[in-house]
């Protein structure tokens, strides 16, 4: 059975959008219209007063919006000689948004956009998907701290919007007899299909499993999904299974991938329940994702974890995921979202709406080294998850892919006569890492060395290769090329070192791929919010796909090792679940504040967390407020709280029209909120722009005392960004039993003698009462015309 609605909130979703040829139709209501084909899918936001009435069970059928279409389209647009051009409702939304998704022609969409009862018409688009050690790296222990304080989050439901789940013979999703019954407030269920026995899957650990495919199928022109896709919540891709077990998987002894990362695998919130909403089918249609949000909210989840998002940040009222998350947060659901995997470029971060908990990715203290040893004795440390027959100590011929048919090692283009029995050096680009190794194997090669993109700096990526392969950094690949050119008969071998855990190199380090700020939409909101483990994380895997994701790879494994902000997101979703149970009265904003203000910025060697793309110190545009520290977050001292009205005021400050606000379900009058500044949103971080026409900026905040000492007094310590004179008023905040909130303001003023040589400078403000330290990062952006020597 396929469903069309329901809720939760810890959103870890990274989806990349490709829209070919869009045009704007100038009407009373803003609308984006795709022109690449006459019939396409659209999401129609309807004014609440014109929406059909919900049933007594809070449900809404597609038939109701079918009537809406018939009433709002003239006969000549409603009727068509072609069934393909007849308007057709795909989904009805009542919780994550008010409206519906439908197949419409361009003229039908334009006509609806002009109707007074319609707020916006937005094209449906495809988005793409962006642990034995990570819980201990996070400091989680069953004997002390947040884990026992929250009882493992046994009363919390985490909704995972992704590719589904593979529960068959997976210890991570096994029923745990020590768990109490599932929370009665949760109203979801597991649907059943011929391929998915819902009654068996819903075992107390998994409490919900639903799927949404209508939007994806419509965007593919009605063509059937892939032959290997299961028309059920069953995960045939692996991504969703990995994420769900990372967030809340039960303990599993002796977990590993071919011996790599061996140990006890357990989710961050091992007692939490999992509700699965399968909305991604080799990409995620926005209409399916919004339907999953709708259903999760209706089901009553506590956290939504969605590792997906658009390729570039979109205006919030056009971003259906941001709209769905807004309405989830309105219901008290925490939404954790991935920052994106488009780093290290500037302003690549997505999911930047302030109601998201946006997560970057960083390393843990574990590596899988694979040394490349050249004939001249030079050794380059790479990385690999290869587990077959090793090459051995004897060195064999080494060739460059560009000299034997394909520099990027594309399948079918390498010359077997020149590759057989040799190691091939491959450039990055076009095809995936495991595909390069497979291409070398098909051509008879004995092994491969994969170079990385130059922008990735000191990071190479591990993969479960099917022949001996080591991935090395761009700089090391260039050195290997020089050796190849200098020697008439170059040789090499690869030595696999297994799993190495330790303090060198330091950890955490920011992953090169993790998307960076500043936000291209709202500079005043510093994103990402935090970073968490997202590099080489072991978790459960589907039995329907190989660990390499190659069709020619017949291996099947219960666990796999993956990297990405989509992997770090469920880590934070799990922590949010623990905090939700430990602090049930905290709002989503308070939970985010606790995680941000208690995050740390120093690695295990005592230095500031470094950036793998540069080898230098990272900035808040990479790491946000810092690396999450769950045990400190349970007692943050102060929190920066915010709710629906605060976010509406923020949208008013952005200049949103009444129609755009109504997309979020708000009927607020922005004229009554004049004087509000975007930078005054009560956010646990500060970001501002200074320049010749803006010499000073003041931002205001309110903090609430949640510590045990109701009479605490906090004193501010400031570290001013370069080129800035920073003042705080007042410098002390005194709380009492009747005064749990206090206001303060920070003014950032450009120093007259400022000679700034970079585009961004950074600082911090720390409030302390002697027991707690409440830290907020500060980012100042300087216009290019102000930057000296650039």
């Amino acid at each position: 059975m396929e469903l069309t609605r329901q809720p939760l909130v810890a959103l870890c979703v990274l989806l990349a959008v490709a829209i070919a040829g869009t045009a704007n139709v100038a009407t009373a209501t803003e609308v984006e219209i795709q022109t690449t084909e006459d019939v396409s899918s659209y999401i129609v936001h309807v004014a609440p007063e014109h929406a059909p009435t919900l049933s007594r069970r809070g449900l809404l059928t597609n038939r109701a919006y079918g009537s809406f279409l018939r009433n709002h389209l003239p006969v000549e647009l409603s009727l068509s000689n072609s069934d393909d051009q007849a308007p057709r409702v795909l989904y009805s939304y009542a919780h994550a948004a008010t409206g519906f998704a439908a197949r419409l022609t361009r003229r039908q969409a334009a006509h609806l956009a002009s109707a007074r009862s319609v707020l916006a018409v937005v094209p449906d688009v495809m988005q793409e998907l962006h642990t034995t050690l990570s819980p201990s790296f996070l400091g989680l222990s069953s004997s002390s701290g947040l884990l026992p304080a929250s009882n493992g989050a046994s009363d919390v439901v985490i909704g995972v919007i992704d590719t589904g789940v593979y529960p068959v013979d997976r210890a991570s999703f096994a029923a745990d007899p020590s768990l109490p019954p599932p929370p009665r407030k949760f109203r979801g269920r597991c649907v059943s299909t011929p391929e998915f026995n819902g009654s068996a899957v819903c075992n107390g650990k998994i409490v919900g499993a639903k799927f949404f495919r209508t939007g994806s199928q419509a965007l593919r022109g009605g063509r059937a999904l892939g032959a290997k896709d299961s028309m059920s919540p069953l995960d045939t891709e692996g991504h969703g299974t990995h994420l769900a077990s990372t967030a809340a998987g039960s303990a599993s002894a002796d977990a590993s991938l071919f011996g790599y990362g061996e140990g006890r695998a357990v989710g961050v919130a091992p007692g939490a329940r999992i509700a699965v909403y399968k909305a991604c089918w080799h990409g995620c249609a926005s209409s399916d994702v919004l339907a999953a949000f709708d259903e999760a909210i209706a089901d009553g989840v506590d956290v939504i974890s969605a590792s997906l998002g658009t390729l570039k940040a979109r205006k919030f009222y056009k971003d259906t995921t941001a709209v769905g998350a807004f309405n989830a947060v309105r219901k008290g659901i925490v939404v954790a979202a991935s920052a994106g995997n488009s780093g290290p470029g500037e302003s690549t971060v997505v999911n930047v709406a302030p109601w998201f908990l946006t997560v970057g990715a960083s390393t843990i203290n574990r590596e899988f080294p694979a040394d490349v040893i050249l004939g001249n004795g030079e050794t380059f440390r790479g990385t690999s998850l290869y587990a077959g027959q090793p090459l051995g100590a004897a060195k064999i011929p080494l060739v460059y892919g560009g000299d034997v048919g394909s520099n990027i090692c594309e399948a079918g283009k390498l010359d077997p006569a020149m590759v057989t029995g040799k190691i091939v050096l491959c450039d990055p680009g076009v095809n995936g890492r495991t595909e390069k190794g497979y291409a070398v194997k098909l051509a008879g090669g004995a092994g491969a060395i994969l170079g990385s993109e130059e922008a990735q700096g000191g990071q190479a990526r591990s993969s479960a290769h099917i022949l001996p392969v080591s991935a090395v950094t761009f700089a090391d690949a260039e050195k290997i090329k020089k050796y190849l050119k200098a020697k008439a008969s170059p040789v090499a071998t690869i030595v696999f070192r297994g799993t190495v855990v330790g303090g060198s190199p330091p950890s955490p380090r920011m992953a090169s791929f993790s998307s960076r700020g500043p936000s291209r939409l709202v500079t005043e909101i510093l994103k990402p919010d935090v970073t968490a483990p997202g590099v080489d994380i072991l978790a459960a895997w589907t039995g329907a796909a190989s660990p390499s994701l190659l069709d020619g790879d017949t291996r099947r494994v219960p666990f796999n090792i993956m990297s990405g902000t989509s992997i770090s997101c469920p880590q934070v979703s799990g922590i949010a679940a623990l905090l939700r149970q430990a602090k049930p009265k905290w709002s989503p904003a308070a939970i985010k504040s606790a995680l941000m203000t208690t995050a740390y910025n120093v690695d295990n060697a005592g230095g500031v967390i470094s950036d793998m793309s540069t080898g230098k110190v990272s900035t808040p545009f990479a790491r946000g407020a810092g690396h999450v520290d769950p045990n400190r977050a349970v007692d943050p001292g102060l929190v920066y709280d915010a709710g629906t009205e605060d976010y509406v005021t923020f949208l008013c400050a952005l200049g949103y029209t009444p129609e755009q606000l109504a997309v979020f379900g708000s009927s607020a009058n922005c004229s009554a909120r004049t004087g509000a500044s975007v930078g005054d949103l009560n956010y646990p971080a500060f970001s501002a722009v200074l320049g010749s026409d803006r010499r000073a900026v003041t931002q205001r905040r309110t903090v609430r005392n949640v510590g045990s000492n109701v009479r605490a007094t906090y004193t501010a310590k400031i570290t001013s960004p370069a080129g800035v004179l920073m003042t705080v008023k007042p410098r002390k905040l005194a709380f009492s039993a009747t005064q749990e909130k206090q206001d303060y303001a920070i003014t950032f003023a450009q120093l007259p003698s400022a000679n700034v040589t970079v585009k961004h400078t950074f600082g911090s403000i720390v409030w302390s009462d002697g027991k707690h330290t409440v830290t907020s990062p500060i980012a100042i952006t300087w216009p290019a015309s102000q930057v000296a020597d650039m």
Side-chain angles (χ1 to χ4, degrees):
M1 176 181 180
E2 188 177 353
L3 299 172
T4 59
R5 275 192 305 276
Q6 286 177 337
L8 180 57
V9 181
L11 176 64
C12 303
V13 185
L14 176 59
L15 304 174
V17 182
I19 309 178
T22 60
N24 292 327
V25 176
T27 63
T29 302
E30 177 156 2
V31 57
E32 294 178 76
I33 302 297
Q34 293 182 343
T35 60
T36 53
E37 55 181 0
D38 195 34
V39 179
S40 191
S41 299
Y42 298 88
I43 295 167
V44 181
H45 294 278
V46 175
E49 62 271 22
H50 294 283
T53 303
L54 296 178
S55 70
R56 284 181 296 177
R57 297 177 59 192
L59 299 178
L60 188 65
T61 65
N62 289 353
R63 182 179 301 175
Y65 275 115
S67 299
F68 181 95
L69 277 176
R70 287 191 294 274
N71 292 335
H72 284 75
L73 290 176
V75 174
E76 63 270 20
L77 291 181
S78 296
L79 302 178
S80 172
N81 293 330
S82 169
D83 289 340
D84 292 338
Q85 292 187 339
R88 177 166 61 93
V89 176
L90 304 176
Y91 289 111
S92 299
Y93 306 120
H95 305 282
T98 300
F100 60 97
R103 293 288 286 176
L104 303 167
T105 66
R106 182 161 51 92
R107 288 196 302 146
Q108 290 165 348
H111 187 86
L112 283 175
S114 67
R116 295 184 61 182
S117 56
V118 172
L119 301 170
V121 179
V122 182
D124 193 3
V125 293
M126 289 298 290
Q127 306 177 52
E128 63 184 29
L129 296 167
H130 281 199
T131 65
T132 50
L133 193 60
S134 52
S136 62
F137 187 82
L138 290 168
L140 291 170
S141 167
S142 59
S143 60
S144 63
L146 178 57
L147 198 57
S150 64
N151 194 31
S154 59
D155 291 335
V156 174
V157 179
I158 301 175
V160 181
I161 300 175
D162 211 88
T163 63
V165 67
Y166 191 92
V168 183
D169 298 325
R170 294 297 182 263
S172 299
F173 306 116
D176 185 346
S178 68
L179 287 177
R184 298 183 65 181
K185 64 182 177 59
F186 182 72
R187 298 177 292 276
R189 62 190 181 91
C190 292
V191 301
S192 291
T193 74
E195 299 171 287
F196 194 86
N197 185 343
S199 59
V201 170
C202 267
N203 57 5
K205 181 59 172 177
I206 297 176
V207 294
K210 300 174 182 180
F211 68 106
F212 312 86
R213 63 169 179 170
T214 308
S216 182
Q217 203 157 9
L219 282 177
R220 290 176 168 86
R223 297 188 302 273
L225 299 172
K228 294 184 179 180
D229 291 317
S230 172
M231 300 301 107
S232 76
L234 186 69
D235 180 15
T236 58
E237 299 180 46
H239 196 264
T241 298
H242 197 283
L243 270 55
S245 63
T246 297
S250 299
S252 178
D254 301 322
S256 75
L257 172 64
F258 305 129
Y260 287 104
E262 187 171 9
R264 178 177 178 266
V266 62
V268 172
R273 316 311 171 103
I274 298 168
V276 173
Y277 301 90
K278 181 178 178 179
C280 300
W281 311 75
H282 308 287
C284 320
S286 292
S287 58
D288 291 337
V289 172
L290 190 59
F293 265 98
D294 208 58
E295 197 77 10
I297 295 169
D299 283 348
V301 302
D302 302 289
V303 174
I304 292 175
S305 183
S307 294
L308 49 101
T310 53
L311 183 60
K312 292 183 179 180
R314 309 183 77 204
K315 291 181 179 180
F316 304 138
Y317 66 91
K318 296 181 180 179
D319 184 346
T320 52
T321 302
V323 172
F326 181 96
N327 286 297
V329 170
R330 185 202 294 269
K331 296 289 188 180
I333 300 168
V334 179
V335 180
S338 47
N341 296 338
S342 299
E346 188 174 287
S347 296
T348 50
V349 64
V350 297
N351 293 320
V352 297
W355 46 89
F356 281 123
L357 173 49
T358 310
V359 187
S362 46
T363 65
I364 58 176
N365 58 335
R366 179 178 66 193
E367 292 189 309
F368 306 111
D371 293 345
V372 175
I373 304 174
L374 304 182
N376 62 5
E378 285 187 280
T379 299
F380 302 97
R381 173 156 285 198
T383 184
S384 183
L385 298 170
Y386 172 71
Q389 184 68 30
L391 289 177
K395 298 177 180 64
I396 59 177
L398 172 67
V399 295
Y400 172 50
D403 296 329
V404 294
S406 172
N407 69 308
I408 59 172
C409 297
E410 285 188 273
K413 294 186 178 180
L414 295 171
D415 185 348
M418 304 176 72
V419 170
T420 299
K422 301 174 182 178
I423 297 174
V424 182
L425 174 64
C426 306
D427 287 336
V430 183
N431 51 343
R433 296 184 300 277
T434 56
E435 291 175 306
K436 295 177 188 293
Y438 190 48
V440 172
K441 181 175 183 177
L442 292 176
I449 302 168
L450 308 185
S452 304
E453 294 178 354
E454 184 174 9
Q456 299 300 301
Q459 182 168 27
R461 304 282 292 274
S462 306
S463 299
H465 295 283
I466 60 174
L467 85 165
V469 173
S470 178
V472 299
T473 66
F474 174 84
D476 286 348
E478 292 301 299
K479 293 174 183 177
I480 295 171
K481 286 180 184 178
K482 289 183 179 180
Y483 166 76
L484 275 163
K485 292 178 181 178
K487 297 294 182 180
S489 301
V491 293
T493 191
I494 302 173
V495 178
F496 300 92
R497 306 292 186 186
T499 304
V500 175
V501 178
S504 181
S507 58
R509 294 180 292 163
M510 288 308 304
S512 300
F513 59 76
S514 188
S515 290
R516 310 298 208 261
S519 165
R520 36 172 96 242
L521 290 185
V522 188
T523 306
E524 291 84 354
I525 302 299
L526 199 160
K527 290 286 184 173
D529 294 314
V530 292
T531 186
V535 177
D536 291 341
I537 304 301
L538 179 79
W541 191 247
T542 178
S546 69
S548 67
L549 292 174
L550 294 170
D551 289 339
D553 183 358
T554 59
R555 299 174 299 176
R556 296 294 183 266
V557 295
F559 296 92
N560 201 3
I561 291 172
M562 297 183 69
S563 298
T565 57
S566 60
I567 307 305
S568 58
C569 177
Q571 308 264 5
V572 174
S573 302
I575 299 171
L578 296 174
L579 288 171
R580 165 58 69 228
Q581 181 148 343
K583 302 291 182 180
K585 294 183 179 179
W586 282 7
S587 69
I591 288 174
K592 176 166 65 175
S593 173
L595 287 169
M596 291 177 66
T597 61
T598 60
Y600 62 87
N601 289 278
V602 176
D603 62 30
N604 59 5
V608 176
I609 294 171
S610 66
D611 188 331
M612 296 185 77
S613 69
T614 63
K616 300 177 181 178
V617 169
S618 67
T619 75
F621 286 150
R623 67 180 187 268
H627 193 285
V628 288
D629 188 339
N631 294 324
R632 286 192 63 213
V634 75
D635 184 20
L638 304 176
V639 294
Y640 295 79
D641 211 346
T644 302
E645 287 305 304
D646 299 289
Y647 296 132
V648 170
T649 299
F650 164 79
L651 295 174
C652 285
L654 287 177
Y656 274 32
T657 66
E659 292 80 11
Q660 291 164 353
L661 280 178
V663 169
F664 296 91
S666 173
S667 59
N669 180 4
C670 286
S671 62
R673 305 182 189 221
T674 56
S677 168
V678 173
D680 285 339
L681 177 67
N682 205 37
Y683 214 71
F686 296 85
S687 183
V689 179
L690 294 180
S692 57
D693 59 343
R694 203 178 191 198
R695 296 284 181 175
V697 174
T698 298
Q699 296 184 353
R700 298 159 183 84
R701 296 292 188 271
T702 299
V703 288
R704 177 163 57 94
N705 182 17
V706 295
S708 57
N709 181 8
V710 296
R711 295 180 177 83
T713 297
Y714 282 79
T715 303
K717 176 184 177 182
I718 60 175
T719 301
S720 296
V724 176
L725 174 64
M726 197 168 110
T727 56
V728 181
K729 293 183 180 180
R731 293 292 293 259
K732 287 191 175 183
L733 303 175
F735 297 89
S736 67
T738 58
Q739 189 72 39
E740 67 172 6
K741 294 181 181 180
Q742 291 288 356
D743 302 330
Y744 73 92
I746 298 185
T747 298
F748 309 104
Q750 182 177 345
L751 288 170
S753 59
N755 184 29
V756 182
T757 59
V758 291
K759 290 191 291 184
H760 312 286
T761 56
F762 303 94
S764 65
I765 178 171
V766 181
W767 291 97
S768 178
D769 65 347
K771 176 183 178 182
H772 305 93
T773 54
V774 186
T775 305
S776 294
I778 297 168
I780 301 295
T781 296
W782 303 88
S785 59
Q786 292 285 113
V787 179
D789 302 323
M790 289 194 66

